[in-house]
Amino acid sequence: MSDSGRVAVIGGGPAGLAAALKLSEGQVSVLLIERDDRLGGRPIEFGCKATDRCAVCSACLVPQMARDALESPRVEVALGSEVTGFLGDPDERVVEFGGRAEAVEGVILATGYAPAEVGPVKPEYGLGKVPGVTTSLELDRRLRSGELLESPPGSLAFVQCAGSRDRAIGKDYCSRVCCTYALRAARAIHHRLPDVRLALFYQDLTPAGPGFDALVDECSGLARLVRALPAKIHREPGGKRPVVCYADTIDGALSEEPFDEVALSVGIWAGDNAAIDSLFDLERDEWGFATGSAHNRVLHAGACGGPVSIAESIEEGRVAAAEMLRRLSAGPRGTVALLGNDERCASLAEKEGFRAVPATGLKGVAGAFVAETPDGDVPVVGAIIPGIRADAQEEALPPHVRSIWSKHALERARSTKTLVILPDLCRGWCRAAHEDALALAAERASARQRTWIVVRHAFTGEPELEQLMSRAREAGTCIIHTDAEPTIDSSGVTVRDPGLGRDLTLKADIILAAPRLVPTDAQRAALRGLVLAGFRGHAVPLNPHLGLSATARLGIHVAGWLRDPGSSHVSARRSEDAAIAALTTTSRGSAEVDPEKCAICLTCVRECPHAAPVVTWNEERQKDLSWIQPEACAGCGVCVTLCPAQAITLAEFPDEPILAALEGANAG
Amino acid sequence: MLGKDAAAFLCRNSGALVDAETPELLGDATRVTVPCGGRIDVLHLLKAVESGARTVVVVACHLDNCKSLSATDEAELRVARANALLVEAGSAARCAICRAAANAPADLRRALSEAIRPIGNRGSEAEEVTAA
């Protein structure tokens, strides 16, 4: 791939920016076309949800990526431009925009989403008519600008699923990110404005990323979580406040509650894409989200393909860029080590441009790892630790409850007359547990066997699960939503049914639940050795810069439950994402050690978060010397300031310019 | 908000971006952009004081938001160390760290006023010291 070949990225939101930057890392020129007059898409207006710690929403990465794109010599940014034409001939591809026509090698579409038009489709919520009713996007803008802090409401309610999970309006899918958004926003507002009375009205709480369990636990103490969606929001008689009318699902009572402000968590819609569709021959699913293009060199990423979080958008943008590089024969090619027993990752080996080798250990640094395999050492460029269930250790379940993943228990469950499944008994939003529970219930329903599924929150984050749940219900499976802790004994489960307003005793021949997964001692030790800092239950620290799979060690990625203890599911796609990330990792810095000054005190070796410094025997000098492995260096400069002998320098950022900038600056 | 007699060290991924959006918050302070809060050394902070800064502010990322993971923790330690040295030398603590993300101008405004409050007056009354 020569420098003259260019890839057009259409859309300058998180997915488009991530794709553009990844392509530029791969030495490919990028034409980044954005309709708006600034980069960043909708998330550029989102505020920070941090408290004393980062909330890991990734919104702050968007301005960083926008700056990087504008500064990159390989990225040409065309703002205020709409694509008006595309010639998709295999020998010649031309994109027309803003009165220009440019030849390109490929196109990545990252056109984003449209916020649900809540006003017209949910008139009962009074948006635009009832004072104090606003949208989550508007609330976020005010949080960012500080307006919310200057004139805070006394009480604020979030209303979830405004424009999604609603068959009546043809949007019977979950927008996935709104629950996590609202909980983070509630926590952030409480942190800044502790006197604001907060409430959150929801159907089911759906996770979008690791750490959701802890987020819900924390928010339960800060905001009132109400399992009910309002039937109506009207203006307070004789006043100006919005009044939320809802049926309490715990006691069934009809309630009317005034708030100073109500924020509707607007769903994610595909929007009107007719023009883009006809230009790029895009296919779409029943809700209008892109599924693929007839053109080999047209890919899509981010929310135009369905509801995704900012972190997922960024990951999808990077993956689309890597895939484009592969199609342009510019990479990624190479071998990655699979440090785990992941049968799902076997598909990687069949994918063009990849080779995956099962490994038992790993030596070296990014770009030059050596995998230890039963057949000897194999050079690899990166490694993934898949984090699948088979490798994990299951935590003990309460008495009388068997694991849904136990082969023996599953066999028995198939033949018993009555069965109760509690997929989220042990907390943890686990997609696999819900999927397996619904599949088992469907199988039993066809054999006319009785199954009850008792859940706190239905896992609806993916359309297939929502549909699977509907089918299970239609087949006769009884799904009970409850907030109360069930009582379990040898004869069955007693649970409060909020719909009926009384306790139900479900007699069961067998009770199944999904246990929480924890690393084995051997895995714990291996992970500590491999990914170093941050191993605190999570295999990697929750840090937006690490994305969905990266660890503190460049080139080593994790997936599945190792990334998110609440999930035992690892899709082949996420494993591929991790593998592509491992294959395309590039170092970012180049700290150097002056051997004359180095006292080999090991401070840098101990303190570097990326394990870049090492001490090895130097033949020439006939002594041990510390040096920084350039492939592993992130260029943060931590070692430079920590080195007691001041032996380390960072070429990109020496002391002199800092001192020169200060010299005399404040003298006057 | 800050005057000419202030210096601000800005992490490239947080402080510098907020400052670009709302430059009025740091006012006339001398800005030094660093690749990461972890790159800031005690020497840099003392050099700023030696150069006449009465207030020295480090604007860095939140905990768990640092691109170099724990580097902003190091920055906090260095701010504390610089203040300890200043006090030892007979001056008052003049250095402060405040954390704000790239998309949080309102947070920076609040963090700045909270960080500067304890050092603001003392800094202006302190006798001049020369950093070693």
Side-chain angles (χ1 to χ4, degrees):
Chain A
M1 183 74 206
S2 68
D3 267 7
S4 57
R6 284 209 287 184
V7 171
V9 175
I10 300 172
L17 287 167
L21 293 170
K22 195 75 186 172
L23 287 165
S24 68
E25 277 176 25
Q27 311 300 311
V28 168
S29 297
V30 179
L31 185 56
L32 179 57
I33 304 167
E34 166 57 45
R35 186 172 53 182
D36 209 348
D37 58 2
R38 63 175 175 180
L39 291 176
R42 296 187 192 282
I44 199 79
E45 293 190 346
F46 294 175
C48 172
K49 315 286 187 309
T51 53
D52 288 329
R53 308 190 84 87
C54 173
V56 204
C57 70
S58 299
C60 62
L61 300 189
V62 179
Q64 294 172 34
M65 292 194 299
R67 172 208 53 204
D68 292 346
L70 289 167
E71 288 179 358
S72 170
R74 289 189 189 278
V75 180
E76 181 193 345
V77 178
L79 294 175
S81 300
E82 276 200 75
V83 176
T84 52
F86 176 64
L87 172 65
D89 192 278
D91 298 322
E92 188 186 16
R93 295 170 194 82
V94 177
V95 173
E96 293 171 11
F97 64 99
R100 290 167 62 185
E102 295 285 338
V104 294
E105 297 285 331
V107 175
I108 293 177
L109 294 168
T111 49
Y113 70 97
E117 292 168 18
V118 182
V121 299
K122 300 290 282 181
E124 62 271 30
Y125 282 175
L127 181 63
K129 291 176 185 161
V130 177
V133 177
T134 184
T135 66
S136 49
L137 296 175
E138 172 59 15
L139 186 77
D140 220 312
R141 190 195 62 72
R142 284 163 52 213
L143 178 65
R144 190 187 198 285
S145 68
E147 288 170 44
L148 193 70
L149 305 182
E150 284 162 17
S151 52
S155 56
L156 169 67
F158 291 88
V159 174
Q160 300 306 104
C161 303
S164 54
R165 290 196 77 193
D166 191 340
R167 278 191 184 182
I169 60 170
K171 308 289 179 188
D172 55 340
Y173 59 88
C174 172
S175 289
R176 294 189 63 240
V177 301
C178 327
C179 288
T180 310
Y181 156 78
L183 290 166
R184 281 181 182 143
R187 185 175 61 180
I189 291 168
H190 177 81
H191 179 75
R192 290 156 180 81
L193 302 163
D195 294 333
V196 177
R197 183 169 59 87
L198 294 162
L200 189 144
F201 295 88
Y202 69 97
Q203 297 187 67
D204 292 289
L205 291 176
T206 300
F212 193 70
D213 275 357
L215 179 63
V216 174
D217 284 346
E218 202 178 334
C219 287
S220 303
L222 312 174
R224 198 158 53 86
L225 305 185
V226 186
R227 188 197 287 275
L229 285 187
K232 190 179 178 185
I233 301 171
H234 65 79
R235 185 176 178 154
E236 190 178 31
K240 284 187 177 175
R241 294 193 302 171
V243 176
V244 176
C245 310
Y246 64 97
D248 194 309
T249 54
I250 301 300
D251 57 18
L254 296 176
S255 302
E256 294 204 352
E257 191 175 348
F259 290 91
D260 290 331
E261 204 165 314
V262 176
L264 307 176
S265 289
V266 292
I268 289 177
W269 286 6
D272 177 13
N273 296 289
I276 289 278
D277 289 357
S278 63
L279 288 178
F280 296 98
D281 293 330
L282 273 183
E283 288 168 7
R284 293 190 176 268
D285 63 18
E286 59 187 295
W287 301 292
F289 293 109
T291 54
S293 165
H295 296 280
N296 175 261
R297 296 269 183 92
V298 175
L299 302 174
H300 70 274
C304 64
V308 283
S309 65
I310 298 172
E312 288 165 334
S313 275
I314 292 170
E315 196 83 349
E316 287 196 7
R318 287 176 183 154
V319 170
E323 179 61 20
M324 182 61 76
L325 290 171
R326 195 176 68 79
R327 293 189 187 184
L328 300 180
S329 303
R333 292 186 181 276
T335 306
V336 289
L338 285 175
L339 292 160
N341 171 29
D342 188 2
E343 69 276 13
R344 298 195 204 205
C345 291
S347 63
L348 276 177
E350 295 156 19
K351 198 173 170 72
E352 190 191 339
F354 290 106
R355 185 168 164 251
V357 290
T360 53
L362 194 71
K363 296 179 285 197
V365 292
F369 283 118
V370 173
E372 296 163 352
T373 78
D375 301 324
D377 288 354
V378 177
V380 293
V381 293
I384 61 172
I385 309 171
I388 60 159
R389 203 167 59 223
D391 286 345
Q393 180 175 295
E394 293 181 2
E395 259 181 358
L397 287 164
H400 314 297
V401 181
R402 307 287 304 278
S403 167
I404 195 170
W405 297 313
S406 150
K407 274 185 186 170
H408 183 252
L410 206 56
E411 248 168 53
R412 225 188 112 201
R414 285 201 169 94
S415 58
T416 53
K417 253 173 114 175
T418 52
L419 167 69
V420 175
I421 312 175
L422 305 137
D424 56 5
L425 176 70
C426 306
R427 303 300 303 238
W429 275 254
C430 175
R431 184 195 193 281
H434 286 260
E435 190 177 31
D436 293 349
L438 292 167
L440 179 59
E443 189 184 319
R444 287 170 51 84
S446 61
R448 297 184 177 280
Q449 295 162 303
R450 189 76 170 146
T451 307
W452 290 280
I453 296 179
V454 180
V455 288
R456 286 190 181 91
H457 302 282
F459 197 113
T460 57
E462 290 171 41
E464 311 90 73
L465 279 177
E466 187 97 62
Q467 287 167 349
L468 201 56
M469 192 162 70
S470 298
R471 280 204 296 274
R473 272 206 176 103
E474 283 158 15
T477 302
C478 183
I479 300 175
I480 300 170
H481 282 62
T482 182
D483 285 325
E485 198 72 35
T487 310
I488 299 168
D489 59 32
S490 58
S491 63
V493 177
T494 303
V495 62
R496 178 149 187 93
D497 185 325
L500 299 174
R502 61 183 174 84
D503 286 350
L504 289 179
T505 300
L506 312 171
K507 298 283 179 196
D509 299 323
I510 183 165
I511 304 163
L512 297 181
R516 282 185 76 91
L517 300 175
V518 290
T520 61
D521 289 345
Q523 281 174 324
R524 227 174 253 278
L527 285 165
R528 273 203 198 98
L530 281 173
V531 302
L532 300 175
F535 186 80
R536 299 182 302 237
H538 297 278
V540 291
L542 290 178
N543 181 314
H545 293 282
L546 294 178
L548 297 177
S549 70
T551 67
R553 285 278 299 276
L554 292 180
I556 300 181
H557 289 250
V558 295
W561 67 273
L562 284 174
R563 183 73 180 93
D564 181 1
S567 168
S568 65
H569 174 71
V570 54
S571 67
R573 184 174 162 210
R574 279 280 170 248
S575 297
E576 279 185 18
D577 294 355
I580 287 170
L583 275 172
T584 55
T585 300
T586 49
S587 63
R588 302 189 291 269
S590 55
E592 285 183 14
V593 183
D594 180 348
E596 300 298 334
K597 291 183 180 172
C598 176
I600 322 177
C601 65
L602 301 182
T603 301
C604 56
V605 176
R606 279 197 308 272
E607 299 294 338
C608 173
H610 309 285
V614 286
V615 174
T616 56
W617 176 256
N618 186 294
E619 276 298 332
E620 194 182 323
R621 294 173 183 266
Q622 285 294 298
K623 65 172 188 174
D624 283 329
L625 281 182
S626 168
W627 58 286
I628 314 282
Q629 303 169 97
E631 299 88 348
C633 179
C636 61
V638 168
C639 58
V640 179
T641 44
L642 281 174
C643 176
Q646 297 186 333
I648 307 177
T649 52
L650 188 62
E652 306 94 300
F653 209 82
D655 271 333
E656 290 73 21
I658 304 178
L659 301 178
L662 294 167
E663 192 71 53
N666 307 107
Chain B
M1 187 178 259
L2 294 184
K4 276 186 177 174
D5 58 349
F9 291 91
L10 310 173
C11 167
R12 183 173 187 270
N13 293 313
S14 50
L17 284 163
V18 193
D19 182 45
E21 187 180 327
T22 47
E24 67 274 13
L25 293 179
L26 293 175
D28 295 325
T30 300
R31 274 95 157 159
V32 179
T33 300
V34 288
C36 171
R39 179 67 186 88
I40 296 159
D41 200 348
V42 173
L43 173 72
H44 303 144
L45 301 168
L46 295 181
K47 182 73 182 176
V49 174
E50 187 192 48
S51 302
R54 293 188 178 278
T55 307
V56 183
V57 180
V58 175
V59 185
C61 302
H62 283 287
L63 293 171
D64 291 340
N65 190 257
C66 173
K67 201 166 185 173
S68 305
L69 306 181
S70 56
T72 50
D73 303 6
E74 299 290 341
E76 192 160 331
L77 292 175
R78 269 165 229 144
V79 166
R81 178 73 184 135
N83 278 335
L85 287 171
L86 286 169
V87 170
E88 200 178 313
S91 176
R94 297 187 188 185
C95 305
I97 185 165
C98 46
R99 298 173 183 275
N103 57 341
D107 286 352
L108 177 60
R109 183 179 292 120
R110 195 176 61 145
L112 268 176
S113 62
E114 282 175 9
I116 291 169
R117 198 178 302 132
I119 61 169
N121 295 334
R122 282 186 292 164
S124 58
E125 290 164 7
E127 62 183 90
E128 292 301 317
V129 291
T130 302

